[in-house]
Amino acid sequence: MVILAILNGLIRENVYGPAMSELSAHQLSSLIAVIIFGLYIYTLTGLFAIKSAGQALLIGGIWLGMTIIFEFLFGHYVAGHSWSKLLHDYNLLAGRVWLLVLLWTTMAPYLFFRLRA
């Protein structure tokens, strides 16, 4: 999913991002992430059957943890972003919808497990 997220960000920055406000580009990019992650997770859950609801929730939780750890460690120590800039995308009241992508990534394995059961 990291590769999908990076590609999504590159497309946002180089294709549609310059033509719209930063907030609109963030929101569109988040919607695109939900769609492509959903397709990817649906494919994975078809290739590798999830055995239980607990396993599905564990997978989602691990993906959530890995995503947050990668985002903050890479974003701060490699990309050089400040902690406040990294936390900015978590502010729903400011229209930042990244949390919805994380929620989807966490719950999608469970949802697809239930749909396939």
Side-chain angles (χ1 to χ4, degrees), residues 12-13 21-31 71 84-102:
R12 177 188 66 230
E13 295 298 319
S21 72
E22 191 279 331
L23 179 60
S24 294
H26 161 79
Q27 292 169 338
L28 179 57
S29 178
S30 296
L31 174 63
E71 181 179 5
S84 62
K85 178 179 168 99
L86 293 169
L87 287 170
H88 178 68
D89 278 336
Y90 289 79
N91 186 351
L92 280 172
L93 297 176
R96 311 304 288 190
V97 293
W98 175 244
L99 279 174
L100 300 177
V101 176
L102 295 180

Side-chain angles (χ1 to χ4, degrees), residues 11-107:
I11 292 168
R12 177 188 66 230
E13 295 298 319
N14 296 300
V15 177
Y16 59 85
M20 57 180 51
S21 72
E22 191 279 331
L23 179 60
S24 294
H26 161 79
Q27 292 169 338
L28 179 57
S29 178
S30 296
L31 174 63
I32 291 168
V34 165
I35 293 167
I36 62 175
F37 287 176
L39 293 170
Y40 179 72
I41 294 167
Y42 182 79
T43 300
L44 282 181
T45 59
L47 294 172
F48 305 100
I50 296 175
K51 309 261 188 278
S52 68
Q55 184 184 36
L57 293 171
L58 178 63
I59 291 167
I62 290 169
W63 284 348
L64 172 65
M66 289 172 54
T67 301
I68 292 171
I69 289 168
F70 176 81
E71 181 179 5
F72 281 94
L73 293 180
F74 181 86
H76 184 73
Y77 294 108
V78 177
H81 299 303
S82 68
W83 295 114
S84 62
K85 178 179 168 99
L86 293 169
L87 287 170
H88 178 68
D89 278 336
Y90 289 79
N91 186 351
L92 280 172
L93 297 176
R96 311 304 288 190
V97 293
W98 175 244
L99 279 174
L100 300 177
V101 176
L102 295 180
L103 178 64
W104 171 242
T105 303
T106 304
M107 295 308 299

